Amino acid sequence: MSNNSQAIQKRRIFGIISHPDAGKTTLTEKLLLHGGAIREAGTVKARGKNKFAKSDWMEIEKQRGISVTSSVMQFEYDDKVVSIMDTPGHNDFGEDTYRILTSVDSAVMVIDAAKGVETQTVKLFKVCSMRQIPIFTFINKLDRQSKDPLECMADLEDALGLPSTAVTWPIGNGLTFEGIYDRLENKVYLYKQKNGVVELGANGVFGDALEGVISQANLDILRDEMELLDGAGNAFDLDAIKAGELSPVFFGSALADFGITPFLHHFLEWSPAPGVRKTTTGEVAPTDDFFSGFIFKIQANMNPAHRDRLAFFRVCSGTFERGMSVTLSRTGKTMKLSQSTQLMANDRETVETAIAGDIIGIYDSGNFQIGDTLTDRKEKLFFEPLPTFPPELFCRVRPVNSLKAKQFQKGVQQLAQEGAIQVYHNEFNDVILGAVGQLQFEVFQYRLENEYNSEIRMEPLEYQVARWVAPGSPKDVKDYVVPRSTLVYDHFERPILLFANQYTLNNFMQKNPEVKLVEALEVDDTEHLEA
């Protein structure tokens, strides 16, 4: 095995997904702490001065105690190079999360033990299962009053249709929480006790090693639950885990930093190294000698002092070397990648080389779009298109002060290229925003005012449905606009019809069958348009 192949096998890229407030960002913090990437973990809703979550770098995230952008962080642990994607849990930023999930090799699903599987978790799980991404489940907040663990497991299988197998198991919960039992390692980790680990003998929890160490009530329950799990639970099957057909389940408390070490140890051992990635014409293997990868996120103003933009890039094959020349497949242009960085939220350091399974940040002066492929291969190459989602909320936006129109236009253009909000214009060049949720509008307004010094006025529009006009439709779509609909154009100048509701859309389609409407258009490798 070559040095590169060995190094690739040590790479792990995973996304953390959950419903808001299940403890996803707190878990990320503790993983970074264990990896030595940070010295002190912040919490999302920190009360102290400057103690905010490392992965929540944007000011609005610190104020609201939520994640609204995806952070990418890399650290080394247990001879592995780990890249974590902390994604926004908030439903309004689902699109950002879906794109992030196209760049990972596995996912960690965080579930609140008191609430069980929630709606946003189900949506994100579906994206993972569509791509057959292995899912590891961390049931969090066991130090609080929570559901029965067997109920949590049943809830997981019922809501997601995904068989699961318990690797660690809680001993009590809330006020009676005393630790977790690692079924595979046959040891108990004690919660808030000095002699923290009890090695069990051949009889496991049925031996006498735990007598007098944990309460008799908890020991009786633990033994009953182990009999049930051993008799009726799913057997551990590593092949099924790697195929995304079985989820290993871990219990613990991210806030109390308990249960994290056994989880991280098992996760790094079982989670897959970078594998082959699909392209529009075949597959690319991480060991292929040519350099290739794709941009899955663009973020403006990560450093407010420099007003810069970073394109987040997953290396899929070959070796990245700073200063190398690559081709941007969408335009055919050759460019030099002379400024590159690795990230810890908004802290960064220059990276000289990177291999398949690394995430790097490339400085972007406006050349890149989400989904772009970069390669040094002579033949054309396009990775699978990233998902696009039709917005459901719309508003017209304009600057309060027309003298600041330049800052306004620049802010709109840059935030649109990040892909967090969709920007359209009508024939009068009004700026129309499309979003999946209201919070996207609020973050857009906040960032324009704070990062671009442009106050704006937002006027809600009474439309709920967007449909792109597909190629092959009549050229002059303007003639087809009906009451309670309007025509706008995206940044590719492709026409989109907005409708008041589904009823208006259905009526339109019935009366105008020659106009072909689709939910989203992908730019494929035969029809490349420049923004």
Side-chain angles (χ1 to χ4, degrees):
M1 197 185 274
S2 71
N3 283 348
N4 241 16
S5 300
Q6 288 174 336
I8 291 166
Q9 286 305 309
K10 291 179 180 180
R11 266 36 186 193
R12 297 290 184 273
I13 302 182
F14 68 96
I16 301 192
I17 61 174
S18 79
H19 197 82
D21 214 29
K24 172 177 51 64
T25 300
T26 309
L27 177 63
T28 305
E29 293 290 302
K30 294 306 192 294
L31 294 174
L32 295 172
L33 189 64
H34 283 276
I38 53 175
R39 288 194 180 86
E40 181 186 17
T43 58
V44 179
K45 292 175 181 164
R47 292 199 180 105
K49 204 174 166 192
N50 295 329
K51 243 188 117 201
F52 295 105
K54 186 81 176 175
S55 53
D56 286 348
W57 57 271
M58 198 184 280
E59 195 61 39
I60 192 169
E61 296 180 306
K62 296 172 185 176
Q63 289 179 9
R64 294 194 179 210
I66 54 168
S67 299
V68 298
T69 58
S70 306
S71 302
V72 181
M73 292 145 286
Q74 191 173 69
F75 65 93
E76 289 186 36
Y77 184 88
D78 218 3
D79 200 32
K80 301 283 192 300
V81 180
V82 186
S83 295
I84 304 182
M85 312 284 193
D86 177 25
T87 61
H90 202 288
N91 188 36
D92 289 1
F93 292 87
E95 191 167 351
D96 197 23
T97 304
Y98 298 145
R99 291 201 193 105
I100 287 288
L101 291 176
T102 62
S103 66
V104 302
D105 299 313
S106 57
V108 173
M109 182 163 58
V110 184
I111 290 170
D112 184 327
K115 295 175 182 171
V117 179
E118 298 172 87
T119 48
Q120 181 68 356
T121 318
V122 175
K123 283 183 185 175
L124 297 172
F125 163 75
K126 282 178 180 164
V127 175
C128 293
S129 64
M130 265 179 354
R131 305 184 74 86
Q132 293 172 307
I133 296 171
I135 295 174
F136 293 73
T137 302
F138 187 84
I139 297 181
N140 193 23
K141 304 188 182 181
L142 262 295
D143 53 338
R144 301 184 191 178
Q145 204 58 40
S146 53
K147 285 184 177 184
D148 177 86
L150 288 165
E151 195 186 333
C152 286
M153 296 282 286
D155 187 22
L156 187 67
E157 299 201 7
D158 291 347
L160 305 177
L162 176 70
S164 57
T165 181
V167 178
T168 65
W169 195 256
I171 302 166
N173 70 73
L175 295 174
T176 65
F177 186 51
E178 290 189 89
I180 57 165
Y181 169 44
D182 188 323
R183 296 174 70 207
L184 296 191
E185 301 272 344
N186 197 27
K187 60 175 73 164
V188 166
Y189 294 86
L190 297 170
Y191 183 58
K192 290 189 174 170
Q193 286 195 34
K194 280 178 187 170
N195 54 338
V197 184
V198 179
E199 301 275 353
L200 305 183
N203 294 325
V205 298
F206 301 99
D208 57 8
L210 292 174
E211 300 280 355
V213 177
I214 62 174
S215 72
Q216 192 59 46
N218 269 343
L219 184 53
D220 292 343
I221 292 168
L222 178 63
R223 285 170 172 167
D224 288 346
E225 288 172 338
M226 285 309 104
E227 276 189 331
L228 259 172
L229 280 180
D230 293 344
N234 293 311
F236 179 84
D237 180 343
L238 188 54
D239 290 337
I241 290 169
K242 290 192 170 181
E245 293 162 3
L246 179 71
S247 180
V249 177
F250 301 83
F251 290 83
S253 165
L255 193 59
D257 194 8
F258 188 75
I260 309 292
T261 308
F263 160 71
L264 190 53
H265 165 70
H266 288 306
F267 171 77
L268 293 179
E269 190 185 347
W270 303 332
S271 58
V276 296
R277 307 287 304 187
K278 287 182 182 170
T279 69
T280 52
T281 52
E283 290 180 338
V284 166
T287 48
D288 285 342
D289 54 6
F290 59 86
F291 168 77
S292 71
F294 63 92
I295 290 165
F296 59 89
K297 178 179 173 60
I298 292 173
Q299 187 73 54
N301 302 328
M302 286 192 73
N303 183 341
H306 296 109
R307 292 279 182 262
D308 58 355
R309 283 157 50 88
L310 273 187
F312 289 75
F313 182 85
R314 170 170 173 146
V315 183
C316 296
S317 70
T319 304
F320 164 84
E321 290 174 350
R322 192 161 73 93
M324 73 187 297
S325 290
V326 297
T327 302
L328 173 57
S329 297
R330 174 174 48 83
T331 62
K333 285 180 184 167
T334 301
M335 54 185 62
K336 218 173 197 183
L337 301 181
S338 50
Q339 286 186 297
S340 52
T341 185
Q342 274 180 332
L343 301 116
M344 166 58 66
N346 66 332
D347 295 340
R348 54 184 85 175
E349 56 184 54
T350 300
V351 60
E352 297 294 332
T353 63
I355 60 170
D358 283 333
I359 303 286
I360 58 174
I362 303 168
Y363 287 89
D364 177 24
S365 56
N367 295 314
F368 301 133
Q369 291 172 15
I370 289 169
D372 274 348
T373 296
L374 297 176
T375 182
D376 63 359
R377 194 175 87 159
K378 287 192 172 68
E379 301 82 18
K380 276 197 167 188
L381 180 71
F382 299 97
F383 286 98
E384 280 189 310
L386 301 191
T388 306
F389 298 88
E392 295 161 19
L393 298 171
F394 301 90
C395 74
R396 185 184 285 111
V397 59
R398 49 172 65 97
V400 169
N401 183 348
S402 55
L403 295 174
K404 293 198 171 172
K406 200 173 176 184
Q407 287 104 305
F408 170 75
Q409 289 297 343
K410 185 182 178 185
V412 168
Q413 184 189 6
Q414 292 199 348
L415 295 181
Q417 282 170 321
E418 287 183 18
I421 200 158
Q422 297 187 29
V423 177
Y424 313 118
H425 66 88
N426 60 17
E427 60 179 322
F428 310 110
N429 260 348
D430 291 335
V431 175
I432 313 287
L433 301 184
V436 176
Q438 181 61 34
L439 185 58
Q440 281 180 283
F441 289 148
E442 292 173 32
V443 171
F444 179 88
Q445 182 167 11
Y446 179 91
R447 292 187 65 190
L448 263 186
E449 290 176 2
N450 288 273
E451 294 174 17
Y452 297 92
N453 196 24
S454 174
E455 264 191 87
I456 58 170
R457 199 173 280 122
M458 301 178 92
E459 175 198 338
L461 298 174
E462 298 298 313
Y463 303 111
Q464 294 174 9
V465 184
R467 291 293 182 269
W468 275 258
V469 179
S473 299
K475 285 242 177 345
D476 209 345
V477 191
K478 262 193 292 190
D479 301 341
Y480 287 86
V481 176
V482 295
R484 307 195 71 203
S485 76
T486 192
L487 177 66
V488 297
Y489 300 88
D490 68 9
H491 64 295
F492 290 112
E493 294 300 324
R494 298 177 300 198
I496 305 167
L497 285 166
L498 308 184
F499 296 94
N501 49 37
Q502 192 66 39
Y503 175 78
T504 316
L505 168 64
N506 292 346
N507 261 356
F508 178 91
M509 290 172 77
Q510 224 172 350
K511 290 175 182 169
N512 305 290
E514 68 277 22
V515 181
K516 296 182 182 69
L517 300 180
V518 291
E519 278 200 28
L521 274 180
E522 300 294 356
V523 185
D524 65 23
D525 57 332
T526 58
E527 183 196 27
H528 281 92
L529 304 167
E530 277 190 65

